[in-house]
């Protein structure tokens, strides 16, 4: 006589195998969709009204990242803006990047050119703000002196065109 069959063990094996396969597919899909970004901080000495979390950061019109946080700086006079810049976009634009693989993530450092600055800009007449990363004359836009220590991941800022216009009209 044949041994009795154990269908529940076979069913448990099949369900466990399917669950593990689905988990592996989900993990691989999540890793492939995850974009490597590097976070940098800038301090603005002007109002950033109109700039919001999620606003784009552009390099000569090409979106290379987004604003991830906006808060008051440690001196209570500046505005701290945290930016997430896409590693692939920075590499494609030829900005100097050094990176090293650490476990599942890539640790990336943006080696700053001395004349690279972040500037507040407006899109048209609507007042919607975004950040512009570009090269500026170092003599006309020196690195701002801040009354607190800046982090290693710091991008200096340049005054916006609106602030320059306001200062020029005030002097007149």
């Amino acid at each position: 006589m044949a041994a009795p069959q154990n269908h529940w063990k076979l069913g448990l094996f099949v369900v466990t195998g399917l669950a593990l396969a689905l988990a592996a597919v989900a993990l691989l899909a999540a890793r492939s969709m995850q974009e490597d970004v590097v976070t940098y901080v800038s301090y603005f000495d002007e109002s950033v009204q109109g700039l919001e979390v999620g606003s784009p950061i552009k390099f000569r019109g090409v979106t290379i990242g987004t604003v991830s946080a906006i808060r008051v700086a440690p001196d209570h006079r500046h505005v701290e803006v945290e930016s997430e810049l896409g590693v692939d976009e920075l590499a494609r634009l030829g900005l100097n990047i050094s990176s090293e693989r650490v476990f599942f993530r890539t640790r990336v450092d943006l080696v700053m050119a001395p004349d690279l600055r972040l500037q507040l800009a407006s899109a048209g007449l609507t007042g919607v703000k975004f950040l512009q990363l570009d090269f500026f004359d170092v003599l006309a836009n020196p690195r701002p002196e801040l009354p607190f220590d800046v982090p290693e991941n710091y991008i200096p800022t340049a005054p916006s065109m609106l602030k320059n216009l306001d200062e020029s009209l005030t002097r007149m």
Side-chain angles (χ1 to χ4, degrees), residues 40-70:
Y40 279 86
V41 178
S42 299
Y43 299 97
F44 288 89
D45 190 18
E46 60 185 292
S47 173
V48 295
Q49 184 170 342
L51 185 69
E52 298 179 8
V53 172
S55 294
I57 299 170
K58 298 183 178 199
F59 177 79
R60 299 188 178 178
V62 178
T63 301
I64 60 169
T66 59
V67 173
S68 60
I70 303 171

Side-chain angles (χ1 to χ4, degrees), residues 110-142:
L110 175 62
V111 180
M112 297 297 298
D115 55 349
L116 199 62
R117 300 282 186 270
L118 204 56
Q119 184 181 43
L120 191 62
S122 293
L125 299 173
T126 61
V128 176
K129 305 281 188 196
F130 66 94
L131 294 179
Q132 175 176 295
L133 183 68
D134 210 339
F135 298 100
F136 289 86
D137 179 26
V138 178
L139 296 176
N141 295 293

Side-chain angles (χ1 to χ4, degrees), residues 27-160:
L27 180 66
L28 290 174
R31 280 194 56 205
S32 69
M33 293 178 70
Q34 182 180 15
E35 181 183 348
D36 282 332
V37 295
V38 59
T39 303
Y40 279 86
V41 178
S42 299
Y43 299 97
F44 288 89
D45 190 18
E46 60 185 292
S47 173
V48 295
Q49 184 170 342
L51 185 69
E52 298 179 8
V53 172
S55 294
I57 299 170
K58 298 183 178 199
F59 177 79
R60 299 188 178 178
V62 178
T63 301
I64 60 169
T66 59
V67 173
S68 60
I70 303 171
R71 49 188 166 259
V72 177
D75 68 346
H76 305 289
R77 296 186 185 270
H78 290 82
V79 178
E80 178 180 305
V81 176
E82 196 172 279
S83 309
E84 288 184 347
L85 304 176
V87 173
D88 294 337
E89 294 297 323
L90 293 173
R92 208 166 43 88
L93 292 170
L95 297 176
N96 292 333
I97 299 172
S98 65
S99 64
E100 66 181 75
R101 195 85 170 140
V102 179
F103 295 109
F104 294 113
R105 302 213 21 102
T106 302
R107 182 179 180 277
V108 178
D109 292 321
L110 175 62
V111 180
M112 297 297 298
D115 55 349
L116 199 62
R117 300 282 186 270
L118 204 56
Q119 184 181 43
L120 191 62
S122 293
L125 299 173
T126 61
V128 176
K129 305 281 188 196
F130 66 94
L131 294 179
Q132 175 176 295
L133 183 68
D134 210 339
F135 298 100
F136 289 86
D137 179 26
V138 178
L139 296 176
N141 295 293
R143 191 177 174 114
E145 294 288 330
L146 297 170
F148 50 88
D149 293 331
V150 295
E152 183 178 309
N153 57 344
Y154 169 67
I155 299 176
T157 59
S160 68

